[in-house]
Amino acid sequence: MRNQPDPAAVGTLLRHVLELLDGDVAKVYEEQGLAEYRPRFSPAVRALVAEGPLSVRDLAATIGVTHSAASQTAAQMARAGLVTHAPDPLDARRRLVGLTPKARALLPRIEAEWEATKAAMAELDAELSMPLGELLTEVAQAVGRRPFRERVESARTTT
């Protein structure tokens, strides 16, 4: 049996689960000839398909990540030839992230893998006491109501 992270080390456990899930999805993409495509690109690609070109700030807000995370993802996608960064015609200070023709050509294959991943996640969710996405959403909402830092500080002062 493989070593498992200590259940009390929640951060380590979350990273471990993410590595297991994203690692296997990345392997599927590679096997399907999409070696340059990463699982972390999917939310950005979905947003750009739905909304068209977006600033990094708007992309971050749309997919629910920090500006820094969206900027890093967009830079990785640009290196893979999947997005361009072009001046915003309405505001020369901003740059818009948009899908390249290469990304658009790959969309049918990427979308097929999204559907397969969604079906695999539904199968996994059926084995769990509650769907993983729902649990993680619940955790994010709880931490949004009261940041974890406050919880740690409170625990330190009461012990």
Side-chain angles (χ1 to χ4, degrees), residues 19-133:
E19 288 169 6
L20 290 173
L21 297 177
D22 272 2
D24 280 348
V25 172
K27 287 176 190 169
V28 169
Y29 287 142
E30 189 173 332
E31 291 165 1
Q32 297 301 315
L34 298 167
E36 72 278 2
Y37 193 82
R38 300 284 173 262
R40 74 179 290 173
F41 297 170
S42 291
V45 170
R46 283 201 276 288
L48 295 171
V49 166
E51 304 289 331
L54 294 168
S55 69
V56 172
R57 184 171 318 291
D58 291 341
L59 179 62
T62 300
I63 64 176
V65 299
T66 64
H67 182 277
S68 176
S71 180
Q72 289 173 14
T73 298
Q76 288 177 342
M77 293 175 72
R79 284 192 296 276
L82 300 174
V83 298
T84 59
H85 291 82
D88 183 339
L90 303 177
D91 183 349
R93 297 167 297 176
R94 293 185 348 155
R95 296 184 55 76
L96 298 178
V97 178
L99 294 176
T100 63
K102 174 183 177 179
R104 291 200 178 279
L106 292 174
L107 275 176
R109 291 168 58 201
I110 292 168
E111 288 170 343
E113 293 310 318
W114 289 346
E115 290 304 314
T117 300
K118 201 162 76 172
M121 195 65 226
E123 178 188 321
L124 177 60
D125 281 343
E127 296 178 32
L128 305 176
S129 60
M130 78 180 297
L132 183 58

